[in-house]
Amino acid sequence: MVRRRVKWSYRLATVAGIQVRVHLTFLLLLGFYAWVYYLDGGLKAAAGGVTLTLLIFLCVLLHEFGHAFAAKIFGISTPDITLLPIGGIARLARMPANPWQELAIAIAGPAVNVLIAILLWFTVVGNLPASEFSLIDTAGGMLSAKLLAVNLLLVGFNMIPAFPMDGGRVLRALLATRLRYVAATRLAARVGQVIAVIFVGASLSRWGTPMLAFIGAFVFLGAQQELAHARLREAAQGFRVGQAMITRFNTLPDSLKVAEIAERLAASDQQVFPFVDEWLRFQGLANRQELTQAAQELPPQAAANCVVRRLPTVSPNTSFDHALQLMQESSEPLLPVVNAAGQIVGLVTLAHLAELSALRTPSLSP
């Protein structure tokens, strides 16, 4: 049997059409905290520490649902939310073009944490003297007080005006009401990178910790990635797929047998192969690694098309902006371009958008 690509995240549930997924590394985080608390106080402490961690990430999950439900109001779907050791990621199908919509979506997440903190205060922690907050532990009612503090911390951290935190998107949205989208993103990214440098510098001080350096690096790289994505969005506007699609590539017949794969791969250095039927209609796509594994593990007379993936298709007249949106929704860096008869006539990739962005970058000024 052909080995599929390793899956790093798995679906836990589906809520309101949104997949809730957990990354495998999240389990390592749970194991780490269980071990740390166990060393500190045995099984009871370990159970309390894991419980606290799970409740914190429940708050993180609700935070991400805040973004998702706010996006839904503006007609933007959220295919999935993934929990990672560093937090959660709500993958929106597209970013809103209207800065006020982006502002509302960005604020919705921290607003959920504010609401959770208010509920915890009035229902559980309201009678706790402020002098006792320093005694907060993971047992009994103190657990709720700890969650209150954590939710306030999540609000403060997420509202730092730096990508990829919500505060960076809030700043970009406010700037975008006066500037072009890319110019606003550039300015917001620079602010975030200055903050990142401050974090790294603070980590080297006598009161600093390595975590500050990690956060600084995370913020700096997040700002660069957000700026690159904004340039792609602007480059995509006004262009059609047919203007810059790949038109020279090899296809494989849908009738191809496993025994013939090696010969086809040897004749080309192509990394991705579209499968077509006898009328050249697109049937699916497989990469070189998947085909190589099939050649090694499947019977020679088996159909090679058993490893193909079905992708959304676009026409030559499709806008690059829409193609980019489809790539985000499908998590694919490539889309087949087909004509009215369903015949494949080209391939469009994120690399093409990046090249187009690079060509247009000199004209991108505030």
Side-chain angles (χ1 to χ4, degrees):
M1 181 176 294
V2 177
R3 295 188 300 271
R4 297 294 181 181
R5 291 177 294 180
V6 176
K7 291 178 62 176
W8 287 97
S9 65
Y10 291 85
R11 182 170 63 89
L12 290 180
T14 300
V15 180
I18 302 170
Q19 286 190 18
V20 178
R21 307 182 69 84
V22 60
H23 201 271
L24 285 178
T25 52
F26 178 74
L27 301 179
L28 296 177
L29 179 73
L30 284 181
F32 171 77
Y33 278 117
W35 178 248
V36 169
Y37 278 100
Y38 175 78
L39 293 178
D40 186 53
L43 287 176
K44 184 178 180 180
V50 170
T51 299
L52 174 62
T53 304
L54 290 175
L55 288 174
I56 290 173
F57 273 88
L58 175 60
C59 295
V60 171
L61 179 61
L62 293 175
H63 172 111
E64 298 302 331
F65 269 111
H67 292 310
F69 288 146
K72 190 174 183 179
I73 294 174
F74 302 115
I76 302 172
S77 63
T78 304
D80 54 63
I81 295 173
T82 303
L83 293 177
L84 299 158
I86 59 174
I89 297 177
R91 185 169 63 91
L92 303 185
R94 61 180 176 85
M95 292 301 296
N98 186 306
W100 295 111
Q101 292 180 2
E102 181 176 23
L103 179 64
I105 294 171
I107 289 178
V112 170
N113 295 116
V114 171
L115 179 60
I116 293 172
I118 292 174
L119 291 175
L120 287 170
W121 177 267
F122 283 107
T123 60
V124 181
V125 194
N127 296 322
L128 183 67
S131 61
E132 295 184 19
F133 268 56
S134 61
L135 303 177
I136 289 175
D137 200 350
T138 58
M142 293 299 186
L143 176 59
S144 298
K146 186 70 170 178
L147 283 176
L148 168 60
V150 167
N151 275 278
L152 293 177
L153 180 63
L154 286 173
V155 174
F157 180 75
N158 276 284
M159 290 308 294
I160 294 174
F163 295 118
M165 272 82 81
D166 299 327
R169 303 188 187 284
V170 169
L171 176 60
R172 193 253 304 278
L174 293 174
L175 291 171
T177 62
R178 299 291 182 181
L179 304 172
R180 288 191 302 149
Y181 185 80
V182 174
T185 302
R186 181 188 293 114
L187 185 54
R190 296 293 179 259
V191 171
Q193 288 178 330
V194 169
I195 293 174
V197 171
I198 293 174
F199 275 136
V200 173
S203 72
L204 302 176
S205 69
R206 59 182 299 184
W207 300 284
T209 66
M211 181 56 70
L212 286 176
F214 173 80
I215 294 174
F218 180 70
V219 168
F220 195 91
L221 294 176
Q224 287 185 320
Q225 184 178 16
E226 194 67 33
L227 182 56
H229 180 73
R231 285 172 172 162
L232 283 180
R233 283 188 59 182
E234 178 147 311
Q237 295 175 3
F239 280 81
R240 301 292 171 181
V241 167
Q243 293 177 268
M245 65 185 181
I246 300 172
T247 56
R248 300 185 63 179
F249 54 90
N250 296 320
T251 61
L252 297 178
D254 200 38
S255 59
L256 186 73
K257 301 297 182 184
V258 168
E260 305 171 86
I261 290 178
E263 180 181 356
R264 295 297 185 114
L265 294 182
S268 171
D269 60 357
Q270 195 168 303
Q271 296 301 309
V272 177
F273 293 85
F275 277 69
V276 297
D277 64 14
E278 57 185 314
W279 292 282
L280 298 182
R281 293 178 300 196
F282 176 73
Q283 301 298 304
L285 180 144
N287 62 40
R288 178 176 286 270
Q289 180 182 3
E290 291 165 339
L291 291 169
T292 299
Q293 291 178 353
Q296 294 171 348
E297 302 174 14
L298 293 179
Q301 293 308 309
N305 65 6
C306 66
V307 299
V308 302
R309 303 192 305 279
R310 312 294 175 182
L311 276 68
T313 60
V314 294
S315 74
N317 288 325
T318 300
S319 68
F320 262 128
D321 195 33
H322 182 61
L324 179 60
Q325 178 182 334
L326 287 177
M327 289 180 193
Q328 292 173 334
E329 292 175 352
S330 62
S331 298
E332 292 284 351
L334 174 150
L335 292 177
V337 184
V338 301
N339 60 20
Q343 298 171 320
I344 187 165
V345 295
L347 297 170
V348 60
T349 72
L350 281 176
H352 278 77
L353 291 177
E355 291 173 4
L356 186 59
S357 173
L359 290 174
R360 297 187 65 187
T361 295
S363 65
L364 301 178
S365 55

